[in-house]
Amino acid sequence: MIDVEKCRITHYPAEVLGKEALPVEKIDDNIRRLVEKMTEIMLKNKGVGLAGPQVGVPLRIFIISLDSSRECARVYINPTVTPAGELDAIDEGCLSVPGVRTKIRRYKKCTVTATDLDGNEFSEEGEGLHARVLQHEYDHINGLTIVNRMGSTARIAHRKQLKKLKENHKKDAK
Ligand code: NI
């Protein structure tokens, strides 16, 4: 049972962001409430995607809304994302890595297969921003953030902010 009221954005280097998330076993009221809470958090922070580990829930679930609107928000439960096409490097940020925007290499296209809140399986093809956000969120449920995807030059360029996030994390742990 997830205490949805306690869900907050987790910041790098929180442990939950570095672990592979577990499959959602049953889509019940608790999961529906979680999705509602995740949607609220994503919209409030003007994000275009949010994954379970980013609110402290180690489950394979994410939501995306390319224009950061409630109308376009879509849920992906136990998704599989298969990239396709060529690679592209575009600036990306992440609500769990505040203060960092950096070029990340991702595939231009992908296919996602997932389950929706009614328990129905669906598939969709993504391209451009859609493909990028799907790959970004899929990374989150596999324990990866943009910090893992950054090249060494970007890591050096952002070392101060990464250090600050690590220090904040230590303070919060106390
Ligand atoms: Ni992110």
Side-chain angles (χ1 to χ4, degrees):
M1 180 84 172
I2 307 148
D3 188 349
V4 170
E5 290 314 308
K6 285 200 178 131
C7 287
R8 300 279 182 278
I9 296 222
T10 51
H11 287 161
Y12 167 85
E15 203 189 333
V16 66
L17 291 171
K19 282 203 288 200
E20 194 162 332
L22 298 169
V24 173
E25 305 231 325
K26 190 166 167 252
I27 300 163
D28 54 14
D29 281 349
N30 194 214
I31 292 295
R32 280 184 276 272
R33 273 200 296 276
L34 171 68
V35 169
E36 181 49 37
K37 184 74 177 179
M38 284 172 69
T39 308
E40 268 172 40
I41 294 175
M42 179 181 72
L43 297 180
K44 205 170 98 188
N45 290 282
K46 299 185 171 62
V48 291
L50 194 69
Q54 291 188 273
V55 292
V57 177
L59 289 177
R60 304 185 74 78
I61 183 168
F62 62 71
I63 55 173
I64 75 169
S65 174
L66 298 184
D67 60 0
S68 203
S69 74
R70 178 173 285 275
E71 295 68 44
C72 288
R74 186 150 199 195
V75 189
Y76 302 77
I77 298 168
N78 300 331
T80 304
V81 171
T82 311
E86 294 161 28
L87 283 160
D88 204 359
I90 292 177
D91 266 352
E92 252 180 55
C94 176
L95 294 177
S96 291
V97 193
V100 173
R101 268 198 86 77
T102 186
K103 280 203 168 31
I104 303 288
R105 276 157 61 89
R106 298 204 190 271
Y107 291 89
K108 288 183 180 177
K109 295 178 183 177
C110 71
T111 305
V112 58
T113 303
T115 301
D116 67 19
L117 271 184
D118 298 317
N120 300 316
E121 196 174 284
F122 66 95
S123 268
E124 65 187 34
E125 311 265 317
E127 226 186 296
L129 178 66
H130 188 194
R132 181 162 285 270
V133 176
L134 286 169
Q135 289 169 73
H136 179 121
E137 299 313 324
Y138 191 55
D139 266 1
H140 275 304
I141 62 172
N142 289 322
L144 298 172
T145 67
I146 56 170
V147 180
N148 302 98
R149 294 276 183 200
M150 275 159 90
S152 50
T153 314
R155 216 175 267 261
I156 291 166
H158 291 285
R159 69 181 183 283
K160 272 193 184 158
Q161 180 62 7
L162 294 174
K163 194 174 160 221
K164 195 176 136 194
L165 291 170
K166 279 182 193 160
E167 284 167 0
N168 288 347
H169 180 69
K170 262 191 218 157
K171 269 187 239 157
D172 290 347
K174 273 182 195 161

